[in-house]
């Protein structure tokens, strides 16, 4: 039952009112004996109790539409509720009647203790979010027929359950570690140091703990060796295998985050009262860091092998370009040489041939050089240079890496690469050995054949064909890189590079029918492909029939592509929107951005999930809230904490930094942003904004950032080093998801991730993307996940439409020039269950979308990839046919993408500090900047929504909204906001919104 309490309550629909607030037969009998306000009040608390298992605290928890709906049923005016007494003997008597009717009892002390123990053992041990625990408590009370206690008592029960569950885990994990591992863990924080000493300053950077916490550097031999030392230091502690096997991953992640931000002195202070807690936090840190460092080493291997090859190619290319002189007129030279040679066949070449060619001997030398610098000679030169670079510099790191990482594959086709790595490790210390011994079995694999074959094997002085050791190592590492990238080879103990079978749901076999039903897909592959084929046939037929009447579309044989689509005409200018925005700026002039954030926090309560954690400690929630707002503002504007702290008396720079490290984690920031998005949806006036949208637009923004790390990469499209922030923005300018990505990350995977796991109350059914956000694999995945992928395809002229079936070449004759081969339905049928398994994994979140789709690359021959590709080709054909046919769809996609492009422009206005460069090498800090920027822009949209509704509540202003203005109306504008200047956080001042809004003016043409 949904019932939103507070200022931003969502109006209930008629169906919801009927379902939850209709008085049933036995309930009408209870109400029948009462009159007037008592009758109405009793009916309301009766239905409220039926829905929530508790009584309303007062009139404020009942919306006007609910009161009106129930009042009509009991035939009492809604205004009579004002005379109902919410305290006293009458309401107590009514409550007893309601409890007796539903068979509930008041929660006793014994009941509360029993419920708390149940929460600690069954809920709080895996769920650390107090709101979720509170929800489970409410369900348990309903099941046990116990009335939900008062909110204050519930809070105490939840906190007690969370504390007891965590203490139980601390004791369990410490016992599993054993005395030896526990002693090594405590040695990391120098457990024997004086507890009274206060060393809150930065920990010793040369300590083992500092090394373990440190972030990786950029791609280099030094970074690889440092990460190897780090992994060795972690493993030296000797944590038992499976230490956290039965602990929820998010619980372990939370412990790891706490250990990462606490200094050694803070952890030592736990030792007198709870040494188990210090042991558990440190163990969680090391377990998580071991997986992260393993992933980092796999990343470094992939990047290093790529760099060796790329630098070799660049070096050889530069040398050849400097030496190369392109010879023109080769045909004329050949004719002149032939003519002179035939005329004087017996004379010397220097006397006959050289004079016949312009430029003489030099021209012929350049011609020979040009031939030698092309083709196989170039490739062999690159390979030779690559081998030299590997041998002289990178070999030490890659060989050492084989000592700490294990590589496996479940595919027998890749076992030769695994065996080759073992061979390399055995001969790693063999000195200047040129060839492997004659009796050694050297595994053949893909890397040692083809282009590398001539270099891998060479004839020795005795005329024997031998394997050259260094060349074999280079070829093997290149083969390892290729197969590791698509996870045909994987790394035990890794996270992103783990066994790909672990990415899939383990219980899929047991719940196959439920998984298919969740995706709304039939169990029979023939039924799935049949429906898809029919949809393709209908879409192509509709386009073929309509083509003669489409003046914007022409399909014919052309060298540049068969499809010619006329661009859309410019949309009419919404002339009155400027007046409306000017009125907003007049009523709320130069609003500081910090005030926009503060107003959003106070109205939505978005910080409550974070500040409630501190409620049981020494830091008051209101103080923490102020520090969190300052941190959000500092990160979101990219100005830094030091620059904003001057306007916040009572808060030091260190206070704000600690609040950021301890409480404002990336997960907490996402929760805040989601709360603001949901509050914006709730605050919208449906008459002004219309019904909620089900489509989002997604695109990336490039931010320059420091590059002494693995995360920052060069991006060719933006022409510089940096990171990408990938946004999902609803058509009403509400951001529902954001991701911080490498420049080389798959935008298709990011699009799918945001559409499926945005976390807001919005239901996403469509996703607008630009050309780089779509692919045939993207169409296949979104088809399986029931999301309509709606891209703007820039090179539409080159798009090909697939045929639904073979054997009918005359079908759709008007589309002939754009048609290509039929879809391979047999591939889909053969791997249908496997692609459903992958789609289920994406939907359930058993692994990231990027990790799952990494197997679907063109270098991989995975059957599920081939099936997904064919599904995507069919779905893309359906979309392109719809797109070409409908001007409305083309305009809808353009307008949707305009929203996210406006969002990207706002990034530069708000995140203005430090030249818009993210000045950190820590990935979490870069991610926090993006998340806080998201919170600030979401706050701007929320407050602007309220401001526009205030302005347009006036009849004169609402009369300016024609169809064109409504289409262009957006809450994403900032002319009235002041993001710059001194930051002053004054919690006593508020923006005049709603009933307290400033008096309005009149439109210019009123």
């Amino acid at each position: 039952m949904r019932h939103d309490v507070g200022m931003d309550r969502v109006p209930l629909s008629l169906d919801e009112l009927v379902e939850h607030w209709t008085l049933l037969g036995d309930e009408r009998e209870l109400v029948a004996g009462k009159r007037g306000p008592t009758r109405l009040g009793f009916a309301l608390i009766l239905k409220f109790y039926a829905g929530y298992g508790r009584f309303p605290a007062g009139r404020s928890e009942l919306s006007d539409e609910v009161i009106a709906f129930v009042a009509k049923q009991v035939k009492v005016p809604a205004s009579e509720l004002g005379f109902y007494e919410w305290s006293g003997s009458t309401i107590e008597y009514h409550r007893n009647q309601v409890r007796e009717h539903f068979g509930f009892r008041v929660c006793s002390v014994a009941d509360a203790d029993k419920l708390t123990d149940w929460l600690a053992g069954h809920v709080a041990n895996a769920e650390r979010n107090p709101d979720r625990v509170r929800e489970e408590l409410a369900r348990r009370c309903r099941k046990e027929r116990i009335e939900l206690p008062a909110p204050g008592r519930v809070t105490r029960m939840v906190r007690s359950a969370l504390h007891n569950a965590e203490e139980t885990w601390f004791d369990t994990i410490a016992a599993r570690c054993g005395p030896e591992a526990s002693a090594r863990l405590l040695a990391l924080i120098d457990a024997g140091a004086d507890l009274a000493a206060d060393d809150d300053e930065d920990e010793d950077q040369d300590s083992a703990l500092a090394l373990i916490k440190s972030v990786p550097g950029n791609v280099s031999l030094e970074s690889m060796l440092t990460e190897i030392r780090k992994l060795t230091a972690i493993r030296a502690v000797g944590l038992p295998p499976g230490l956290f096997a039965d602990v929820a991953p998010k619980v372990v992640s939370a412990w790891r985050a706490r250990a990462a931000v606490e200094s050694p002195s803070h952890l030592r202070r736990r030792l007198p009262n709870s040494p188990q807690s210090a042991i558990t936090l440190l163990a969680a840190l090391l377990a998580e860091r071991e997986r992260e460092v393993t992933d980092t080493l796999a990343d470094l291997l992939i990047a290093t092998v790529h760099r060796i090859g790329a630098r070799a190619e660049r070096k050889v290319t530069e040398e050849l370009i400097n030496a190369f002189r392109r010879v023109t007129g080769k045909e004329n030279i050949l004719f002149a040489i032939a003519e002179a040679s035939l005329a004087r066949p017996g004379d010397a070449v220097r006397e006959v041939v050289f004079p016949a060619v312009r430029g003489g001997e030099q021209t012929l030398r350049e011609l020979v050089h040009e031939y030698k610098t092309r083709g196989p000679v170039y490739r062999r030169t690159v390979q030779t240079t690559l081998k030299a670079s590997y041998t002289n510099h990178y070999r030490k790191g890659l060989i050492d890496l084989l000592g700490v990482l294990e590589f496996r594959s479940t595919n027998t086709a890749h076992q030769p690469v695994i065996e080759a790595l073992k061979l390399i490790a055995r001969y790693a210390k063999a000195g200047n050995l040129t060839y492997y011994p004659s009796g050694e079995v050297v595994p053949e694999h893909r890397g040692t054949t083809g282009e590398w074959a001539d270099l891998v094997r060479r004839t020795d002085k005795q005329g024997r064909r031998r394997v050259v050791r260094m060349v074999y190592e280079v070829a093997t590492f290149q083969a390892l890189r290729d197969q590791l990238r698509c996870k045909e080879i994987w790394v035990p103990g890794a996270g992103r590079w783990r066994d790909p079978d672990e990415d899939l749901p383990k219980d899929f076999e047991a719940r196959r029918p439920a998984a298919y039903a969740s995706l709304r897909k039939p169990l029979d592959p023939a039924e799935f492909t049949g429906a898809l084929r029919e949809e393709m046939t209908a879409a192509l037929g509709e386009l073929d029939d309509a083509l003669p009447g489409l003046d914007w579309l022409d399909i014919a044989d052309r060298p540049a592509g068969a499809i010619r689509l006329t661009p859309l005409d410019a949309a009419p200018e919404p002339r009155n929107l400027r007046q409306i925005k000017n009125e907003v700026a007049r009523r709320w002039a130069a609003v500081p951005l910090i005030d926009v954030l503060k107003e959003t926090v106070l109205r939505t309560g978005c910080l409550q999930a974070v500040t409630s954690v501190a409620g049981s400690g020494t830091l008051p929630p209101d103080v923490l809230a102020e520090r969190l707002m300052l941190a959000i503002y500092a990160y979101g504007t990219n100005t830094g904490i030091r620059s904003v702290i001057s306007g916040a008396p009572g808060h030091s720079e260190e206070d704000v930094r600690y609040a950021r490290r301890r409480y404002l984690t990336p997960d907490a920031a996402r929760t805040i942003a989601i709360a603001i998005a949901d509050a914006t949806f709730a605050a919208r006036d449906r008459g002004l904004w219309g019904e909620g949208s089900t489509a989002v637009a997604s695109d990336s923004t490039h931010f320059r950032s420091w590059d002494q790390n693995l995360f920052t990469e060069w991006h060719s499209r933006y022409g510089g080093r940096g990171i990408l922030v990938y946004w999902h923005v609803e058509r009403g300018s509400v951001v529902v998801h954001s991701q911080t990505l490498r420049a080389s990350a798959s935008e298709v995977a990011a699009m799918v991730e945001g559409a499926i796991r945005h976390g807001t109350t919005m239901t996403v059914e469509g996703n607008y993307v630009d050309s780089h956000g779509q692919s045939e694999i993207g169409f296949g995945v979104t088809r399986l996940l029931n999301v309509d992928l709606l891209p703007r395809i820039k090179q539409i002229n080159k798009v090909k439409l697939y045929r639904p079936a073979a054997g009918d070449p005359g079908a759709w004759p008007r589309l002939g020039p754009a048609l290509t081969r039929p879809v391979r339905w047999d591939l889909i049928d053969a791997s249908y269950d496997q692609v459903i398994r992958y789609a289920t994994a994406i939907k359930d979140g058993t692994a990231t979308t990027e990790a799952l789709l990494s197997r679907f690359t063109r270098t991989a021959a995975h059957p599920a990839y081939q099936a997904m590709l064919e599904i995507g080709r069919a779905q893309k054909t359906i979309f392109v046919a719809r797109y070409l046919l409908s001007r409305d769809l083309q305009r809808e996609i353009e307008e949707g993408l305009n929203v996210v492009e406006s969002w990207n422009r706002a990034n530069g206005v708000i995140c203005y500090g430090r030249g818009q460069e993210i000045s950190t090498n820590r990935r979490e800090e870069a991610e926090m900047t993006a998340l806080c920027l998201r919170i600030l822009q979401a706050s701007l949209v929320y407050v602007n929504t309220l401001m526009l509704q205030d302005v347009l509540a006036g009849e004169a202003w609402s009369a300016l909204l024609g169809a064109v203005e409504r289409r262009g109306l957006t809450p994403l504008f900032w002319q009235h906001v002041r993001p710059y200047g001194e930051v002053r956080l004054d919690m006593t001042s508020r923006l005049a919104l709603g009933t307290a809004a400033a008096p309005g003016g009149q439109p210019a043409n009123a």
Side-chain angles (χ1 to χ4, degrees):
M1 180 176 180
R2 179 176 68 81
H3 182 77
D4 305 289
V5 178
M7 182 176 296
D8 298 319
R9 180 188 293 123
V10 180
L12 299 177
S13 66
L14 179 59
D15 289 341
E16 289 174 312
L17 289 170
V18 171
E19 180 180 359
H20 300 297
W21 294 94
T22 300
L23 291 167
L24 305 179
D26 55 345
E27 294 169 342
R28 288 182 177 276
E29 293 179 4
L30 283 175
V31 173
K34 298 174 175 58
R35 298 289 181 269
T38 301
R39 182 185 181 93
L40 177 56
F42 181 83
L44 286 167
I45 67 171
L46 175 67
K47 295 305 298 182
F48 191 99
Y49 198 93
Y52 297 102
R54 67 177 179 87
F55 294 107
R59 165 66 175 82
S60 60
E61 288 201 72
L62 300 166
S63 63
D64 292 340
E65 63 266 27
V66 164
I67 296 171
F69 184 77
V70 174
K72 187 174 181 180
Q73 296 178 68
V74 298
K75 297 181 174 54
V76 175
S79 59
E80 291 289 298
L81 186 62
F83 299 102
Y84 185 73
E85 296 181 1
W86 292 94
S87 61
S89 58
T90 300
I91 194 171
E92 286 301 322
Y93 175 69
H94 289 171
R95 287 172 178 168
N96 288 330
Q97 279 190 294
V98 172
R99 291 189 192 106
E100 183 179 350
H101 175 74
F102 289 110
F104 275 61
R105 67 178 186 275
V106 176
C107 182
S108 66
V109 174
D111 289 331
D113 292 342
K114 182 179 177 181
L115 288 168
T116 302
D117 291 342
W118 179 85
L119 283 176
H122 296 83
V123 180
N125 61 334
E127 178 56 72
R128 306 300 298 170
N129 186 317
D131 291 336
R132 303 286 183 272
V133 177
R134 189 175 286 107
E135 291 171 4
E136 291 300 322
L137 173 60
R139 292 191 185 95
R140 186 69 177 180
C141 284
R142 290 181 65 84
K143 182 178 180 181
E144 297 288 332
R145 295 287 177 178
I146 299 173
E147 183 180 316
L148 191 67
R153 192 179 184 190
V154 167
T155 299
R156 291 191 295 273
M157 292 169 64
V158 168
R159 286 178 178 170
S160 177
L162 289 168
H163 173 77
N164 294 343
E166 188 168 61
E167 289 298 318
T168 301
W169 272 130
F170 287 164
D171 293 340
T172 302
I173 299 300
R176 289 177 183 175
C177 286
E180 294 182 0
S182 296
R184 287 191 289 268
L185 284 169
L186 294 178
L188 293 173
I189 59 172
D190 192 13
D194 184 8
L195 294 179
D198 187 3
D199 62 348
D200 286 345
E201 298 181 2
D202 293 340
E203 60 192 76
D204 181 5
Q205 296 305 307
D206 296 327
S207 67
L209 185 60
L211 173 66
I212 291 168
K213 288 182 178 182
S214 64
V215 297
N218 60 350
V219 180
S220 65
L221 175 61
E222 182 183 355
S223 294
M224 185 175 291
L225 295 176
T226 300
E227 294 303 303
I228 290 172
R229 289 200 309 272
K230 194 181 299 182
L231 186 58
T232 303
I234 294 172
R235 290 176 176 174
V237 175
L239 294 180
L243 179 62
F244 296 103
D246 55 347
V247 186
K250 57 186 174 183
V251 174
V252 181
S253 296
W255 289 338
R256 174 236 192 266
R258 286 162 63 182
V261 300
E262 289 194 11
S263 66
S265 63
H266 287 169
L267 290 169
R268 284 198 298 270
R269 289 171 190 157
R270 294 175 174 270
L271 298 180
N273 298 320
S274 179
Q276 299 90 341
S277 66
I279 292 169
T280 301
L281 295 181
L282 287 168
L285 174 65
L286 265 62
E288 292 285 288
R289 288 297 290 148
E290 182 175 11
R291 183 166 57 252
E292 293 166 2
V293 173
T294 302
D295 279 334
T296 298
L297 283 170
D299 290 334
L300 281 168
L301 185 150
I302 291 170
T304 299
V305 175
H306 171 73
R307 171 171 287 191
I308 296 172
R311 286 187 171 180
E313 292 205 9
R314 186 165 60 249
K315 181 178 180 181
V316 173
T317 300
E318 289 172 355
E319 292 175 355
L320 295 180
I321 288 174
N322 291 334
F324 179 67
R325 298 290 185 274
R326 184 171 178 83
V327 181
T328 58
K330 297 182 183 67
E331 294 82 1
N332 295 333
I333 292 173
L334 178 61
F335 175 76
I337 292 173
E339 184 179 39
S341 300
L342 291 173
R344 300 166 61 186
D347 294 348
V349 171
R350 185 175 297 278
E351 296 176 0
V352 177
V353 176
F354 287 1
V357 178
R358 179 179 296 178
E361 181 180 358
Q362 181 62 30
T363 299
L364 293 176
R365 288 185 182 279
E366 291 176 357
L367 182 62
V368 172
H369 183 75
E370 177 183 345
Y371 172 77
K372 288 183 177 181
T373 56
R374 300 172 68 180
V377 176
Y378 170 77
R379 176 49 50 192
R380 285 198 297 273
T381 307
V382 169
Q383 292 167 341
T384 304
T385 307
L386 188 153
K387 175 209 164 234
S389 176
Y390 165 78
T391 304
N392 297 331
H393 184 68
Y394 290 103
R395 182 175 184 270
K396 174 175 174 51
L398 291 171
I399 292 296
D400 288 354
L401 185 143
L402 293 181
V404 295
L405 291 190
E406 179 185 359
F407 297 94
R408 295 181 187 173
S409 177
T410 52
N411 189 336
T412 56
H414 304 296
Q415 285 303 320
V417 177
I418 307 296
E419 296 302 319
L421 293 172
K422 295 177 181 177
L423 176 67
I424 292 171
R426 285 205 307 274
Y427 284 89
K429 311 279 186 197
N432 295 325
L433 185 68
T434 302
Y435 305 103
Y436 286 110
S438 299
E440 183 66 68
V441 177
V442 180
E444 286 274 3
H445 55 78
R446 295 179 184 179
T448 59
T449 58
E451 295 178 344
W452 282 93
D454 292 340
L455 288 177
V456 169
R457 280 177 170 75
R458 198 165 67 196
T459 303
D460 65 6
K461 295 179 181 179
Q462 287 75 37
R464 297 172 297 178
R465 295 289 287 174
R466 305 279 295 279
V467 176
V468 183
R469 188 163 64 100
M470 291 301 165
V471 180
Y472 185 82
E473 289 181 5
V474 173
T476 299
F477 277 119
Q478 286 203 323
L480 173 63
R481 174 185 181 270
D482 292 340
Q483 300 311 315
L484 185 60
R485 290 181 68 202
C486 60
K487 300 184 78 169
E488 291 291 351
I489 293 177
W490 45 274
V491 183
R496 288 180 290 108
W497 302 108
R498 65 183 179 178
D499 182 354
D501 290 340
E502 294 182 25
D503 294 338
L504 302 177
K506 294 179 175 59
D507 59 347
F508 183 80
E509 296 293 339
R511 63 183 189 94
R512 176 178 278 105
Y516 277 76
S518 176
L519 293 171
R520 305 201 299 273
K521 296 295 179 288
L523 289 168
D524 184 3
E527 184 179 346
F528 173 79
T529 53
L532 189 56
R533 186 187 295 113
E534 289 178 7
E535 196 173 340
M536 276 185 74
T537 304
L540 292 172
E542 190 175 358
L543 179 61
D544 186 70
D545 293 341
L547 186 58
L550 305 180
D551 56 1
W552 60 82
L553 179 63
D554 179 40
I555 298 179
D557 282 314
R558 298 184 188 87
I563 300 173
R564 178 180 291 167
L565 182 64
T566 304
L568 290 164
D569 295 332
E573 181 72 21
R575 300 182 180 278
N576 293 330
L577 286 186
R578 185 179 299 276
Q579 281 195 68
I580 295 172
K581 291 180 181 179
N582 288 341
E583 176 62 13
V584 170
R586 190 195 67 79
R587 297 190 191 186
W588 298 278
V591 179
L593 183 59
I594 189 70
D595 285 355
V596 172
L597 174 63
K598 176 191 66 180
E599 192 68 27
T600 302
V601 167
L602 294 175
R603 285 177 174 267
T604 65
C606 59
L607 294 184
Q608 185 176 358
V610 183
T611 56
S612 62
V613 177
S616 57
T618 58
L619 188 63
D622 57 335
V623 174
L624 175 59
E626 293 182 23
R627 293 176 183 175
L628 291 176
M629 281 187 273
L630 291 169
I632 290 169
Y633 185 90
Y635 274 80
T637 59
N638 202 31
T639 52
I641 292 175
R642 183 171 300 170
S643 65
V644 305
I645 202 64
S646 60
H651 306 292
S652 68
E653 181 181 346
E654 185 55 37
D655 289 339
V656 178
R657 290 192 186 280
Y658 179 78
R660 144 70 188 100
R661 293 194 308 268
R662 177 67 178 84
Y663 300 104
L664 192 60
T665 63
D667 285 342
R670 290 188 193 95
T671 301
I672 294 168
I674 289 171
I676 296 173
D678 288 341
T680 307
F681 294 143
R684 280 180 177 168
D685 180 350
R686 293 184 183 180
L688 177 62
W689 304 102
E691 295 297 325
S693 172
T694 58
V696 294
S698 56
D699 196 10
S700 60
T701 305
H702 183 263
F703 288 87
R704 289 182 296 112
S705 65
W706 287 0
D707 59 2
Q708 296 303 301
N709 59 83
L710 279 179
F711 198 60
T712 300
E713 294 177 337
W714 176 273
H715 198 294
S716 58
R717 194 164 81 241
Y718 296 101
R721 289 188 175 275
I723 62 171
L724 297 180
V725 179
Y726 198 80
W727 308 103
H728 279 73
V729 185
E730 178 258 0
R731 293 199 64 180
S733 299
V734 176
V735 59
V736 298
H737 195 260
S738 65
Q739 301 164 77
T740 308
L741 308 173
R742 286 187 173 97
S744 62
S746 166
E747 293 200 19
V748 173
M751 175 271 297
V752 174
E753 185 83 7
I756 298 301
R757 281 195 278 279
H758 52 87
T760 71
T761 56
M762 179 184 181
T763 301
V764 175
E765 297 177 354
N767 201 135
Y768 310 112
V769 295
D770 220 329
S771 288
H772 47 267
Q774 59 87 28
S775 67
E776 289 173 342
I777 282 293
F779 273 105
V781 173
T782 51
R783 172 76 188 205
L784 293 170
L785 295 172
N786 305 302
V787 175
D788 199 5
L789 181 57
L790 303 167
R792 175 173 59 192
I793 304 176
K794 291 182 178 177
Q795 293 185 323
I796 192 75
N797 56 307
K798 296 182 179 179
V799 171
K800 288 294 185 180
L801 302 172
Y802 285 81
R803 295 178 181 271
D808 192 6
W812 313 292
R814 300 182 185 91
L815 308 181
L819 291 172
T820 185
R821 69 164 177 85
V823 172
R824 294 282 307 276
W825 302 108
D826 57 319
L827 295 178
I828 301 175
D829 289 339
S831 299
Y832 178 60
D833 190 67
Q834 189 72 357
V835 296
I836 292 294
R837 192 187 297 258
Y838 273 93
T840 301
I842 293 173
K843 187 174 185 296
D844 293 350
T846 56
T848 65
T849 306
E850 185 170 18
L852 289 161
L853 294 188
S854 64
R855 300 207 76 181
F856 296 161
T857 62
R858 297 190 183 278
T859 58
H862 199 285
Y865 167 73
Q866 302 297 332
M868 194 81 80
L869 203 58
E870 293 301 312
I871 295 172
R873 286 164 176 161
Q875 180 61 28
K876 184 174 182 178
T877 297
I878 294 169
F879 165 75
V880 172
R882 290 168 48 208
Y883 181 82
L884 297 175
L885 181 64
S886 173
R887 276 308 217 194
D888 289 340
L889 178 58
Q890 296 169 29
R891 188 170 288 107
E892 176 189 339
I893 293 172
E894 287 291 333
E895 291 175 353
L897 290 173
N898 287 342
V899 172
V900 74
E901 287 167 3
S902 297
W903 182 270
N904 287 339
R905 287 196 298 273
N907 294 164
V909 175
I910 293 178
C911 190
Y912 62 87
R914 299 169 185 168
Q916 298 181 5
E917 179 183 60
I918 298 177
S919 306
T920 180
N921 282 313
R922 301 184 68 88
R923 177 174 178 172
E924 183 180 311
E925 292 287 294
E927 186 177 15
M928 187 57 62
T929 298
L931 287 167
C932 290
L933 172 60
R934 172 182 168 185
I935 292 172
L936 289 180
Q937 287 192 208
S939 300
L940 177 63
V941 169
Y942 172 78
V943 170
N944 281 354
T945 298
L946 300 180
M947 289 178 174
L948 285 171
Q949 289 177 180
D950 278 356
V951 170
L952 295 172
E955 292 184 6
W957 289 104
S958 63
L960 297 180
L961 287 181
V964 174
E965 282 74 21
R966 286 185 181 276
R967 192 181 67 246
L969 185 64
T970 173
L972 183 60
F973 60 97
W974 50 86
Q975 294 88 337
H976 60 300
V977 173
R978 178 167 55 83
Y980 319 111
E982 186 179 7
V983 178
R984 292 194 175 278
L985 181 59
D986 181 3
M987 300 301 291
T988 62
S989 66
R990 298 289 299 272
L991 295 180
L993 294 170
T995 55
Q1002 293 295 315
N1005 56 354

